[in-house]
Amino acid sequence: MARTLQAELKTIKPFSSLEQEAMLSLARTAAQLDHDMLDALRPHGLTPTQYNALRILRGAGSAGLCRNEVRDRLVAWVPDATRLLDRLEDTGLVVRGREGDDRRFVRARITRKGLELLARLDPIITELHHSQLGHLGRIKLKALIELLEDARDRD
């Protein structure tokens, strides 16, 4: 049987509300999953946000995306997408170029080196996700996904 959050945090005082307990449980779980992802990506010189940006650019194909399009598709909000793309460009994983008449419009594209890195990472990350959540089984995973969608949809 899984330990309760209260037991994990070694606290005696009950949470002030179910909402508080749920929020803290989400945060604790996210931190644990993020730590695993950091460990998996560190040997490859990437952060989870950089990995996410590379996957977004791979999905965009040869058309690439502008900075704001990458920023808007990231799982986690970042304050400076330009710097994120700068770091990826500095490592040769992304190229950027100005296009059209508007010199301010810069499109980012994943490079062959970036594609090759993602190809090496794909099975590693797939296995990581399986080891993190596969024990829940299909029915619980679908329920979890729906509950998280509901939590994000507060309107």
Side-chain angles (χ1 to χ4, degrees):
M1 184 167 180
R3 286 191 311 166
T4 66
L5 181 63
Q6 196 170 1
E8 260 186 64
L9 298 178
K10 299 177 182 143
T11 182
I12 297 168
K13 185 178 174 187
F15 298 105
S16 64
S17 67
L18 282 174
E19 291 85 1
Q20 181 191 41
E21 183 176 2
M23 188 60 215
L24 292 172
S25 188
L26 276 169
R28 176 77 171 202
T29 304
Q32 187 176 14
L33 298 174
D34 285 346
H35 179 76
D36 294 344
M37 184 68 121
L38 278 166
D39 284 349
L41 293 173
R42 186 175 295 115
H44 303 278
L46 288 179
T47 66
T49 303
Q50 290 170 331
Y51 172 74
N52 186 204
L54 286 175
R55 291 198 56 207
I56 289 165
L57 290 171
R58 176 174 64 182
S62 61
L65 295 169
C66 73
R67 175 199 69 225
N68 290 345
E69 291 172 312
V70 173
R71 180 202 62 210
D72 293 346
R73 295 178 189 197
L74 289 168
V75 172
W77 180 84
V78 295
D80 193 349
T82 300
R83 234 180 260 157
L84 169 66
L85 293 171
D86 285 345
R87 287 190 294 275
L88 291 171
E89 188 174 35
D90 290 345
T91 59
L93 300 171
V94 166
V95 294
R96 288 183 288 182
R98 299 187 188 287
E99 295 181 6
D101 295 333
D102 187 347
R103 301 293 294 153
R104 295 171 296 172
F105 188 75
V106 179
R107 202 167 272 285
R109 291 177 179 81
I110 191 167
T111 63
R112 178 176 298 280
K113 181 180 176 183
L115 289 170
E116 290 168 354
L117 177 58
L118 286 182
R120 288 192 309 275
L121 285 169
D122 284 341
I124 294 168
I125 301 304
T126 297
E127 177 53 35
L128 172 64
H129 293 325
H130 180 73
S131 71
Q132 291 174 316
L133 299 171
H135 65 285
L136 294 176
R138 187 172 181 79
I139 292 171
K140 285 184 178 180
L141 283 171
K142 285 185 171 238
L144 175 61
I145 291 165
E146 287 180 22
L147 285 169
L148 293 171
E149 287 170 352
D150 289 348
R152 288 191 306 273
D153 185 22
R154 293 177 287 170
D155 296 331

